[in-house]
Amino acid sequence: MILQLLAPAVLIGIATSGILLATPYLYAALGEMFGQISGVLNLGVEGIMLVAAFAAYYVVYSSGNLIAGLAVAIVVGALMGLLMAFISITLKAEQGISGIGVYLFGLGLSDLLFRVTIGTPTPVNGFPSLQIPFLSDLPVLGPVLFSQNILVYGAFLFVPFSWFALNKTTIGLKIRAVGQTPEAADSLGISVAGVRYLTVTFGGAMAGIAGASLSIALLNIFQQNLTSGLGFIAVALVYFGGWRPLRIMLGALLFSMVSALQLWIQTLGLGLPSDIAGMLPYVLTIIALIFAARQIVTQPTALTKPFERGE
Amino acid sequence: MIQSVELKNITKRFPGVLANDHINLRVNAGEIVALLGENGAGKSTLMKILYGMYRPDEGEICINDQAVTISSPNDALRQGIGMIHQHFQLVPGFTVVENVALGLKSSRGPLTDLDVVSRRMLELAKQYGLQVDPSAYVWQLAVGQQQRVEIIKALYRNASLLILDEPTAVLTPNEVDEFFNILRRLRENGHALIFISHKLQEVMAISDRVTVLRGGRVVGEVATRDTTKQELAQMMVGRQVITRWEKQAAQETEPILRVQNLTVLGDKNLPAVKNLSLHVCPGEILGIAGVSGNGQRELAEAIAGLRRATTGSITSEGREIANHSPAHIIHSNIAFIPEERMLMGVVREFSVAQNAILETHDQLPYSRYTFFNFSAVNQTAARLVNDFEVKTPSLETPIKVLSGGNIQKLILARELERAPRFLLAAQPTRGVDIGATEYIHRRLIEQRARGTAILLISEDLEEVIALSDRVAVMYEGEIVGVLPPTTPVEELGLYMAGAKRA
Amino acid sequence: APTAQPTAAPAQPTPASAQPTTASGGATKPFRVALLMPSAKNDLSFSQSMYDALVNVQNEMGKDKFEFVYSENMFNVSDAAAAIRDYANKGYDLIIGHGSQYGASLADIAPDFPNQSFAWGTAVDTFESKGIKNIFAYTVASDQGGYVEGVMAAALSKSGTVGYIGPLPVGDGKLTGDGFVAGAKATKPDIKAQTVFVNSFSDVAAASQAAQTQIASGADALAGTSQNMVGAVSVAKDKNVLWFGNDVDQSSLAPNIVVSSQVYDWTLAIKGIMNNIAQGKRGGEVFTLTLENGGLRMVNNPAFKLPDDVKALQDNTIKGIIDGSIKTGVQ
Amino acid sequence: MNRFDPRQYNFILVPLVAGSLALLVGAVIIWLLGANPVEAYIAMLEGAVGSPNAIADSLVKSGPILFVAIGICIAYRGGVINIGGEGQLVMGALGTTAVVLTFRELPSIILIPLALAVGFAAGGFWAAIAGFLKAQFKVNEVLSTVMLNAIAVLFMNYLLHGVLMDPTELDNAIHIPQTERFVLTADLPRLIPTRLHAGILLGVIVAFLVYILLWRTTIGYRIRAVGYNVIASEYAGINVGRYQILAIALSGALAGLGGAVEVLGVNHRLFTDGSATGFTGNAGFNGIVAALFGGLHPLGAIPASFLFGALLTGANSMQRTVQVPSAFVTMLDGLVVIFVVSSQIWAKRRATRRAIAEPLVQDPTATTIQSDITPS
Ligand SMILES: Nc1ncnc2c1ncn2[C@@H]1O[C@H](COP(=O)(O)OP(=O)(O)OP(=O)(O)O)[C@@H](O)[C@H]1O
Ligand SMILES: Nc1ncnc2c1ncn2[C@@H]1O[C@H](COP(=O)(O)OP(=O)(O)OP(=O)(O)O)[C@@H](O)[C@H]1O
Ligand SMILES: [Mg+2]
Ligand SMILES: [Mg+2]
């Protein structure tokens, strides 16, 4: 059984679909990471992704303009992020629960809008794959790595970008400070709320791209609950990766590859019942969380704690 | 550059409290003004107003005789006001230079310029004697060094007025001396300083003028050279305060607590207590002196059962308690006054009565078959509140509303109620004003007289000397000397700094 | 136990419209139907197949003769039961619980409304054995369509591998898959026919990943059931792999690659039920859609150029299933 | 000590206002959808409480919400956030189902309590996993419970098209993922001749028991101590890990009981739509909101859950009457959650102000008391 899974075709297959599905995870998880590092847990990513996925899909459906679709997804995602920021930062609501509210709201809203505007799932032409000259001609690696659509490349470029932004810029310094010791940042005149608004809104915009990557790049369709829990996994990946971009990327790849793996196990007729195989990614995530939880040093200690001066 | 800062008629109300009541205060360049007062007198509130963290209800702030509005720490920094809080405002996961650079405009636009900051920082450090490694992580630094980082942060931002809120509470005598040297150098350079402390000898040593607050009002203003410690205490509390205690000499008998060859790992998984041995006899106070971070906390936690002992033994009345559960240890007649009362000593949201039975709630008469007997609980709580003069509106009041001194009294009452054979008191008076400190000291001395063995861990050398029968100095996880309390402070300081061992 | 009996409800005031209405026209009152669906009415799948059937009937009979209302996304039985009772109180002539989970609630409620009819599916139990007389059941032999698709897929496949993607290994999704594999094997005994279930009716990304897996493992003709298959179709379209749809005609999703779809036409069941009611029989009958009775149809995509030999094979297979000479082997 | 003081839990007004605001936003959306909001909300009201049957339906709907909400009160007081209600409902229902299918000859008087007990235990076990991971490995329980939800549902699906499947389904080759209908002796008694079953009454009783547990017993005292302050609890000799696990396990057990009640009282069999939502109706999430609504007090959870059940039942009825898409109901649900959780700040502020200001203002020694505050 193991041997069959180690066949080159299978490994390449797993890698290919792993890289594709890692795309929405990367945008959503890295965006969420910024919010969490600054101290805000946004559990509403799933809802934001849904609304943005619909928005992008709708624009592309009605105009065919992919760039406009992506831009609208970003704006819509940012607005939803802003809503989440307002609830959790200004109104200091319990973040785990307000996230569920945003999720339900997004789930309902996206479906509602879809129903009143388009109604039935209709495919659109999404981002075409973009062959990178020369590199895409490489044997094996070429098709896997260098003939994807632009959003896939973008997702992987977002990884070093995030690392750089966090560790090499002044705003990165502020974000980390605000999530670890908001009082310290506050005493230096840094607006804790301001930084958090920024990161959560940015995270929303990224969740917007994540949604768009599904509806106008990977699946090229919209349907009720298109994301099916993807956003929640993205949130888990942030913990999994211990708030570090590279590890989050590894987590995203691992998760999406294990999802592919369990489908391969079925495809090859290896006799593991589909539901049991389907548990693999979740069980794996829990196991990984056990290890991630040990990395206390990087943990944003103020995560989920609203900041109040003088207490 | 600030020539003078003047607070005029500042009033600040909190729900139910008049924290500042028409306060006037002036400080000039090249001058250190000390602010004195009991706990809750309004010192920190006044300073937070000056630093823009609170808005005053009335009154105004003048800098160089010009009225200014300071509505955020940012404004304060812009005006040249810096504040060093009692609880350091540092990001522990950052390096020193990152902490300094935080929030500054960078010379490289959106990118950090840590090299530039690091260079300028070292210049400043040299000028004022504030040596610290820019690339070290803050969590790795000793408290005294962290404080230097705080000062550097303020100076880097061109602060010419520095507010120092209880800066010495966590320093050793030697560190205090160094710290005062830094303050003097700042004063010579034309900085203005406001200094808050509960320790009168420090006020006498460093300040030029003293302002005393009581109940939110200014009750006295004197030049330091025209006053004495006794007079200041009188102003603050309204009576004389005892700082020296007469007590019977302790008997050397069979010890109650015996620690042998104990090794305990710290948070970073390195040995924090190394092969340490000590014993405490009935009717004796053993004081542990030492700079914080030398293993005192880990020692206390190991005795309390909160931290594993990797080797060695801890016995109480001959029975092994090392690596037993906290519950087991509590039931072996051992009591604790933990270091951080708000964090460890009480459940802030619980009422006074509920906190009074924190360890004994599952015992008769407070509960039977897991069901509470509320009248028994309230009876005991009422008696403790009464006996220990805990000022509280009611037994139902959430304890977080009480003052630190009163919370400390309740903890003391609760622990002594259990008639312990051994009491571990860690920092029992940290941040507590002199009135309450005197009260707590008296209770400890009384308990000693009843034959309880007491292990006193304190960074306040004065306190250790005043209460202990023997003083053990801890340095880097070891006891480097057990000395009589009559040992000169300077010599103790040498032991504490690791420069000398017995 | 106190609850051994179905609720002894006080006789519900019988609504006016519960007077036997004739379905075949002539009467002044329209025939009124209420439909509860587990997902959305336009899910391109199970729910839509019933919704479309009602629209068909309405178009045929006219809005004045046939009225219907619906509740979507009613999978939750507690919600559905409330809705069923509400519709019954409002006097609908026929209340359809389009999902096998509604059976218990119908059996609970139906006896209180003896002058109205209820129907549910896919199921074969009308509760007549429990003395309930006003419940119909309906089901579908989707293995037949799956078989036809398997035959065609095998015939069209160049790689020698075909695949089926299902939601859960249950219900009509499983039947179709079993039929598909049987049909493919019957056509080319050495063909590889692989099935994958994605454990969800709604996870589009998972369906798309499953299609990628199938294609990467060599499949060049795929079939699938459930609303999330739009994700699989999208991948198939990208990779130019043939697709066979189920439940409804899916040609519109990808005109270039959709070969054929197995369409459930519940019109047959609806009309059968209405006829029964017109004759005064309010329940007790089971309707099964088959290729034979026309409730199941293979709808070929006009835009796809189906080779003549495959078309002939399709026709023969359908004929064989209808006359019983071909058995799907499923059951 | 902390007896029940309605004033202290006067959290009801604020969420009520918040809920109304959410409905107001909903009205605008209905209007945008081209329907008449007034008509819609009248239909909603009628559907929720317009007739004995409607009231019964609302109460039945609130059943699992109530059980989850009571459980959330315990978890929350113990400082654990349990997002795993969905999975725990599923596991509870599974446990109950297994009992009913195995011991079908037992008389009701034994079968029902046994089935409920196993559902309770199964939900508790499932939640305890998250508790254990938190206590032992510091795994964030928000995430582990979300993962455990997914696993529970897959597990249920696995059993439902395997060993638990109705044998007649196997014969029919249709393979509908459901069990056979339970024996009639396993049906929970009806309270009045509607769908209202005794499970709802059980929920109310359990709420009272949990109230007593939390505020009258040492177990509750420890759970709350741990919830407020882990370090102080440890110092006081409380085994923090054990009580964290206990809090979330009890919380999950109650959710499990909710699942048990739902299958025994409403569905009379177990089935799946491939997700949990279909069977639970999102009760695992709505229960959290209802708990907040009720001020995280088990007695507050009772009216809060009923309100929620009525809201959802009414919204469905509104869907039928004015034919707005069902997605609207989901969205309205989200809006209510958002508004209610956002309004907590006002409820909290009022409570704090009372706790700090009131006793001190009344007490003549107020100023002296405050005058020697030392924070640590
Ligand atoms: N944010 C606040 N809200 C309400 N009351 C407050 C607040 N901050 C301080 N107080 C109250 O104001 C009074 C003055 O407190 P303040 O902290 O200024 O005293 P302090 O002199 O600094 O005491 P200490 O010596 O203990 O540091 C106290 O009664 C305190 O309880
Ligand atoms: N929001 C609040 N409501 C009620 N009381 C408060 C509040 N904030 C603080 N207090 C009380 O006021 C006291 C002083 O609080 P504060 O934050 O000023 O600490 P501080 O000790 O004076 O500052 P520092 O330790 O830096 O000198 C605390 O003991 C606390 O009980
Ligand atoms: Mg102070
Ligand atoms: Mg203080």
Side-chain angles (χ1 to χ4, degrees), chain A residues 310-311, chain B residues 44 48 54 86-87 165-166 400 402, chain D residues 356 373-375:
Chain A
E311 255 234 321
Chain B
S44 296
K48 285 176 183 172
Y54 293 154
Q86 177 183 336
H87 314 282
D165 195 351
E166 298 188 40
K400 64 176 174 191
L402 266 55
Chain D
I356 291 174
I373 271 194
T374 304

Side-chain angles (χ1 to χ4, degrees), chain D:
Chain D
M1 282 186 60
N2 210 334
R3 287 190 211 173
F4 182 62
D5 166 10
R7 243 184 0 152
Q8 200 176 339
Y9 301 98
N10 186 9
F11 278 51
I12 294 299
L13 187 71
V14 174
L16 226 48
V17 172
S20 312
L21 282 176
L23 291 183
L24 206 65
V25 175
V28 175
I29 294 167
I30 295 175
W31 177 71
L32 289 175
L33 288 172
N36 180 343
V38 178
E39 201 182 300
Y41 280 139
I42 287 175
M44 184 161 162
L45 201 64
E46 260 172 27
V49 292
S51 68
N53 266 316
I55 294 175
D57 284 336
S58 294
L59 288 174
V60 167
K61 178 83 185 166
S62 65
I65 299 176
L66 174 59
F67 281 99
V68 173
I70 302 167
I72 292 297
C73 295
I74 304 178
Y76 211 99
R77 299 276 172 188
V80 248
I81 299 180
N82 177 8
I83 310 278
E86 293 277 293
Q88 292 143 15
L89 279 161
V90 164
M91 292 312 269
L94 264 178
T96 298
T97 301
V99 169
V100 175
L101 294 181
T102 315
F103 303 105
R104 51 188 99 209
E105 303 83 14
L106 287 178
S108 292
I109 193 85
I110 301 174
L111 180 59
I112 293 180
L114 181 68
L116 291 175
V118 172
F120 180 85
F125 165 74
W126 201 241
I129 296 175
F132 173 77
L133 291 174
K134 178 186 174 78
Q136 194 69 32
F137 300 110
K138 302 205 171 359
V139 171
N140 183 305
E141 72 276 16
V142 172
L143 296 161
S144 60
T145 48
V146 167
M147 299 296 137
L148 285 169
N149 283 346
I151 296 173
V153 173
L154 286 164
F155 185 57
M156 168 174 73
N157 292 347
Y158 172 66
L159 294 180
L160 278 179
H161 53 75
V163 291
L164 288 184
M165 186 181 281
D166 185 351
T168 60
E169 291 298 336
L170 292 171
D171 293 345
N172 288 330
I174 286 267
H175 289 199
I176 293 169
Q178 63 182 20
T179 66
E180 65 191 87
R181 194 209 186 279
F182 295 164
V183 284
L184 291 174
T185 41
D187 288 7
L188 289 180
R190 300 280 167 105
L191 292 181
I192 42 169
T194 54
R195 296 204 305 133
L196 186 59
H197 56 79
I200 309 305
L201 190 64
L202 180 66
V204 174
I205 295 169
V206 166
F208 274 93
L209 292 180
V210 168
Y211 161 62
I212 290 171
L213 174 85
L214 279 177
W215 279 282
R216 299 299 179 92
T217 71
T218 53
I219 298 171
Y221 176 91
R222 289 171 179 215
I223 288 177
R224 290 185 298 124
V226 169
Y228 282 130
N229 187 335
V230 168
I231 300 174
S233 302
E234 227 165 56
Y235 243 93
I238 300 173
N239 186 331
V240 169
R242 186 184 300 164
Y243 281 88
Q244 279 177 339
I245 296 176
L246 181 69
I248 193 168
L250 274 177
S251 159
L254 289 177
L257 193 56
V261 163
E262 194 69 358
V263 286
L264 294 182
V266 181
N267 301 336
H268 307 305
R269 63 170 18 138
L270 189 64
F271 43 73
T272 180
D273 68 341
S275 75
T277 324
F279 147 66
T280 62
N282 263 329
F285 292 137
N286 288 329
I288 300 174
V289 186
L292 269 186
F293 216 109
L296 292 166
H297 194 288
L299 301 185
I302 300 173
S305 304
F306 288 168
L307 221 63
F308 236 83
L311 175 79
L312 294 174
T313 307
N316 271 324
S317 155
M318 171 176 73
Q319 185 207 344
R320 290 194 291 279
T321 310
V322 296
Q323 294 271 293
V324 291
S326 67
F328 174 75
V329 178
T330 313
M331 198 191 63
L332 194 63
D333 194 358
L335 279 175
V336 171
V337 174
I338 290 175
F339 275 86
V340 170
V341 72
S342 299
S343 70
Q344 290 300 307
I345 187 175
W346 286 281
K348 245 186 244 163
R349 262 189 206 158
R350 282 176 43 164
T352 324
R353 215 173 297 149
R354 219 176 0 246
I356 291 174
E358 235 174 45
L360 299 182
V361 169
Q362 289 165 354
D363 192 298
T365 59
T367 40
T368 46
I369 285 152
Q370 282 286 305
S371 71
D372 58 1
I373 271 194
T374 304
S376 54

Side-chain angles (χ1 to χ4, degrees), chain B residues 38-39 237 239 241 245 391 403-409 412 428-429 431-443 463, chain D residues 372 374:
Chain B
E38 293 185 281
N39 295 133
V237 198
R239 62 175 167 80
V241 181
W245 298 92
K391 287 181 210 152
S403 72
N406 279 306
I407 291 175
Q408 195 70 342
K409 283 183 191 171
L412 192 69
T429 59
V432 174
D433 69 38
I434 49 175
T437 298
E438 179 198 25
Y439 183 87
I440 291 168
H441 286 173
R442 177 163 43 224
R443 287 291 186 167
E463 175 170 270
Chain D
D372 58 1
T374 304

Side-chain angles (χ1 to χ4, degrees), chain B residues 261-328:
Chain B
N261 304 329
L262 181 71
T263 301
V264 182
L265 298 185
D267 289 337
K268 293 155 207 162
N269 265 336
L270 298 172
V273 176
K274 297 171 196 157
N275 204 27
L276 178 144
S277 300
L278 59 79
H279 65 271
V280 194
C281 300
E284 181 195 42
I285 298 182
L286 174 67
I288 300 228
V291 183
S292 85
N294 274 292
Q296 299 96 317
R297 171 189 287 253
E298 288 81 2
L299 171 65
E301 289 182 354
I303 296 175
L306 297 169
R307 197 177 274 276
R308 278 195 61 76
T310 44
T311 62
S313 83
I314 306 169
T315 55
S316 162
E317 298 182 278
R319 283 188 306 271
E320 182 66 46
I321 57 165
N323 295 332
H324 281 65
S325 71
H328 176 93

